[in-house]
Amino acid sequence: MNEDMYDVTIIGGGPIGLFAAFYGGMRQLKVKIIDSLPHLGGQLNALYPEKYIYDVGGFPKTKAKDLVEQLVEQAMQFDPKVVLNQTVENVVKNEDGNFQVVSNQEVHYSKTILISAGIGAFEPRRIQDERSRMYEGSNLHYYVNNMEQFTKKDVCILGGGDSAVDWALMLEPIANQVNIIHRRNRFRAHEASVERLKESRVNILTPYQLVDIHGDNDRIQSISIQKDGEDENIHLKLDELITNYGFVSSLGPIKEWGLEFWKNSIVVDSAMRTNIEGIYAAGDIVTFNGKVKLIATGFSDAATAISSIKTYVDPKARQQPQHSTSLFEKIKS
């Protein structure tokens, strides 16, 4: 049990959770991150990896995926335990004050919990075809984690939002052929991205909808699409199919844990403490007087929460740490 017990378990591996993991390492806490997605970075990676972010201090502008890469590198300096593809369903506070964090796959043990789940757990909107499940993990993708697997491949992308257009533009230079299929004539992505799409060699098919998928037991071989108002189907052979129909986010079970909520946000005090002792929250998921929902302010929330957690786990510790330069050198020496 002692080996499995963590000082803090962070629920949510987005930018705020990653910074909290880094700062937890700075404060010499044993940290675990749990996220429902198959990758770190939260909605920055899932929804708009190629979009610029303008409100992070010190960066006039930075792409979402680049910010995530830097945050991951920063956090991993202290080797936090990372658990992906797990959704936390319940938390149980034991008589000794420690917590059991119950996911859909296993039970985790922690002295404290930090909720940094943004606007909730993300699940992709899946293809409404029971057979599609068998191709997940093969050549049906709801996320793109490794662009190199699409090199010299024939790729079809379903969707018309920022993610679909972003991935089409990113894959166009390396794929053999990229087809983007959208059920409307107008894309919902940023105008500049749509203009770039039209100027690229991506094959744009609008307004078409997916009618059927064709494959064997292992891989999708082709799809059938149909243009609005027409009966005839078009068959497209493919190597890889990316579906970007968007994501469904929900606080889900979090709302059943006994936490105090106001307008779908967790109420915290100035130390990021919730109404349950030992549970803290930070980022867009919280509310307090004067709360501003930005990535920059979420980083501040995370640092405050970790400092509060440090003094909770070790009452002799200081709420206000040393300057980062001296503290980091001391830890790494």
Side-chain angles (χ1 to χ4, degrees):
M1 177 70 75
N2 289 336
E3 292 181 359
D4 295 332
M5 180 68 69
Y6 285 76
D7 292 323
V8 55
T9 294
I10 300 169
I11 300 174
I16 310 310
L18 286 168
F19 187 74
F22 158 73
Y23 205 65
M26 287 281 285
R27 297 304 306 267
Q28 296 185 292
L29 295 170
K30 185 179 179 182
V31 178
K32 176 182 283 187
I33 306 172
I34 303 176
D35 198 281
S36 61
L37 295 176
H39 52 73
L40 293 168
Q43 59 180 308
L44 294 189
N45 254 351
L47 300 183
Y48 42 84
E50 281 295 293
K51 287 291 173 270
Y52 282 107
I53 296 171
Y54 299 93
D55 57 7
V56 178
F59 294 90
K61 67 177 183 178
T62 180
K63 285 187 177 180
K65 65 182 181 67
D66 295 334
L67 179 60
V68 169
E69 288 177 3
Q70 293 295 312
L71 286 165
V72 170
E73 181 181 344
Q74 185 181 42
M76 293 307 119
Q77 294 176 95
F78 297 103
D79 299 317
K81 175 72 174 180
V82 177
V83 179
L84 301 175
N85 283 313
Q86 288 194 27
T87 301
V88 176
E89 297 179 341
N90 195 19
V91 295
V92 179
K93 192 170 187 178
N94 300 326
E95 292 183 0
D96 61 4
N98 294 323
F99 293 90
Q100 294 182 44
V101 182
V102 184
S103 79
N104 59 332
Q105 296 185 35
E106 60 182 310
V107 178
H108 307 268
Y109 301 93
S110 190
K111 296 176 183 178
T112 65
I113 295 170
L114 173 55
I115 303 171
S116 62
I119 57 174
F122 277 85
E123 287 290 334
R125 296 185 188 274
R126 288 181 158 81
I127 294 174
Q128 296 302 304
D129 186 318
E130 292 183 0
R131 295 168 301 160
S132 68
R133 291 278 186 167
M134 66 189 290
Y135 300 117
E136 293 182 21
S138 176
N139 67 334
L140 172 58
H141 312 274
Y142 292 101
Y143 312 93
V144 176
N145 295 326
N146 177 18
M147 285 181 55
E148 297 306 315
Q149 71 186 102
F150 300 95
T151 301
K152 297 182 180 179
K153 300 288 184 67
D154 291 330
V155 182
C156 286
I157 300 175
L158 302 173
D162 282 316
S163 293
V165 173
D166 282 349
W167 287 122
L169 291 171
M170 292 175 69
L171 295 176
E172 184 253 4
I174 65 171
N176 180 57
Q177 173 66 57
V178 177
N179 298 292
I180 185 167
I181 301 110
H182 182 38
R183 62 192 177 93
R184 295 190 176 94
N185 274 318
R186 292 175 61 87
F187 287 91
R188 293 175 285 107
H190 287 185
E191 291 85 349
S193 298
V194 175
E195 190 63 30
R196 286 178 57 207
L197 182 72
K198 291 178 179 178
E199 294 172 354
S200 73
R201 64 183 183 92
V202 173
N203 185 30
I204 301 172
L205 293 160
T206 62
Y208 282 89
Q209 295 199 57
L210 178 70
V211 175
D212 205 355
I213 56 177
H214 313 282
D216 52 28
N217 292 331
D218 298 316
R219 297 176 64 83
I220 299 172
Q221 306 295 336
S222 65
I223 58 174
S224 296
I225 61 174
Q226 187 179 78
K227 192 169 188 175
D228 282 358
E230 299 184 4
D231 295 329
E232 186 177 352
N233 292 345
I234 294 178
H235 296 277
L236 296 173
K237 292 184 178 181
L238 57 84
D239 297 309
E240 309 288 342
L241 177 62
I242 301 172
T243 302
N244 287 136
Y245 286 155
F247 290 78
V248 178
S249 63
S250 172
L251 293 178
I254 294 178
K255 300 202 76 171
E256 309 300 322
W257 298 351
L259 297 164
E260 181 184 354
F261 279 83
W262 187 76
K263 292 187 176 180
N264 225 36
S265 296
I266 299 172
V267 176
V268 296
D269 64 11
S270 60
M272 300 299 124
R273 295 175 295 207
T274 70
N275 60 305
I276 299 178
E277 187 178 22
I279 299 183
Y280 302 75
D284 283 356
I285 200 171
V286 308
T287 185
F288 54 83
N289 187 30
K291 169 65 180 176
V292 177
K293 294 190 175 184
L294 294 172
I295 292 175
T297 57
F299 292 156
S300 174
D301 293 349
T304 299
I306 288 296
S307 293
S308 299
I309 288 168
K310 178 64 176 180
T311 57
Y312 180 86
V313 172
D314 179 10
K316 295 181 180 179
R318 297 189 302 173
Q319 176 80 15
Q320 178 64 45
Q322 303 173 38
H323 291 297
S324 61
T325 302
S326 56
L327 182 59
F328 193 87
E329 291 174 350
K330 179 180 178 182
I331 292 170
K332 289 298 184 178
S333 63

